[in-house]
Amino acid sequence: MKLIFITCFLVVSSICIAQTNQDILNRKITLSIEKATVQSVLNELSKKYSIRFSYEPTKIPLQKEVKLPQKEMLLKDLLTTIFKDTEIEYTVHAQVIILTKRSAPATGVSVKKMSFIP
C-alpha cells in the first residue's frame, strides 16, 4: 500500500513540476525595447518579470544586438527570437531558465595518444 501511495505521489509531483516549468515559458511578455543587447534584454526580463536566468557568460553572446517586436509575445517566442542564428538553447529547471551552448552531435570516437612517465 505504501509503495502505491509513494508511486502516485511521485507521478503527481512530476506532472506538477513539468506544468510549472512550461508555465514560465508561456508567460506573456511585453518589452519596450526595440533594439538592445542580449545582456540588456535578459536584465530587463529579470527586473520587470522576476525571471531568473542561469548561464556561463563566456558561452552566451551577451553583446549581440537584437531587434525585438513591439508587441506582446510568449517568453518562449521571445527567447527564440533573441537566440535566433546562435547555438544557444534553453531549458527550464525549478523556475530558472538555463541558457547553454548547443553541443555538437557526436560523430565518432576520438582517441588521443598519451604518454605516461613512471
Side-chain angles (χ1 to χ4, degrees):
M1 184 66 171
K2 285 183 183 181
L3 183 59
I4 293 172
F5 175 75
I6 291 172
T7 303
C8 289
F9 176 77
L10 291 174
V11 168
V12 169
S13 296
S14 298
I15 291 170
C16 289
I17 290 171
Q19 181 61 40
T20 303
N21 286 341
Q22 282 304 312
D23 287 348
I24 193 170
L25 292 175
N26 288 322
R27 284 181 70 179
K28 292 182 179 180
I29 302 292
T30 303
L31 291 178
S32 57
I33 303 172
E34 186 176 328
K35 190 174 181 183
T37 63
V38 169
Q39 177 73 58
S40 62
V41 173
L42 295 179
N43 289 342
E44 185 70 16
L45 289 169
S46 294
K47 186 168 57 173
K48 188 173 181 182
Y49 294 98
S50 300
I51 297 171
R52 296 183 301 159
F53 292 93
S54 176
Y55 56 88
E56 189 176 336
T58 59
K59 305 274 184 184
I60 308 297
L62 296 173
Q63 299 310 313
K64 176 187 176 208
E65 289 209 359
V66 292
K67 292 183 181 181
L68 301 177
Q70 297 293 306
K71 64 178 184 176
E72 182 177 82
M73 59 194 313
L74 298 179
L75 178 58
K76 64 184 174 185
D77 297 332
L78 181 65
L79 292 173
T80 300
T81 299
I82 292 170
F83 296 114
K84 182 180 177 183
D85 301 325
T86 70
E87 295 179 348
I88 305 305
E89 59 188 8
Y90 58 88
T91 56
V92 180
H93 181 70
Q95 293 295 304
V96 176
I97 298 174
I98 302 167
L99 305 174
T100 54
K101 189 172 184 178
R102 190 174 298 120
S103 57
T107 57
V109 178
S110 174
V111 178
K112 294 183 178 180
K113 185 176 181 179
M114 300 179 74
S115 299
F116 295 97
I117 301 173

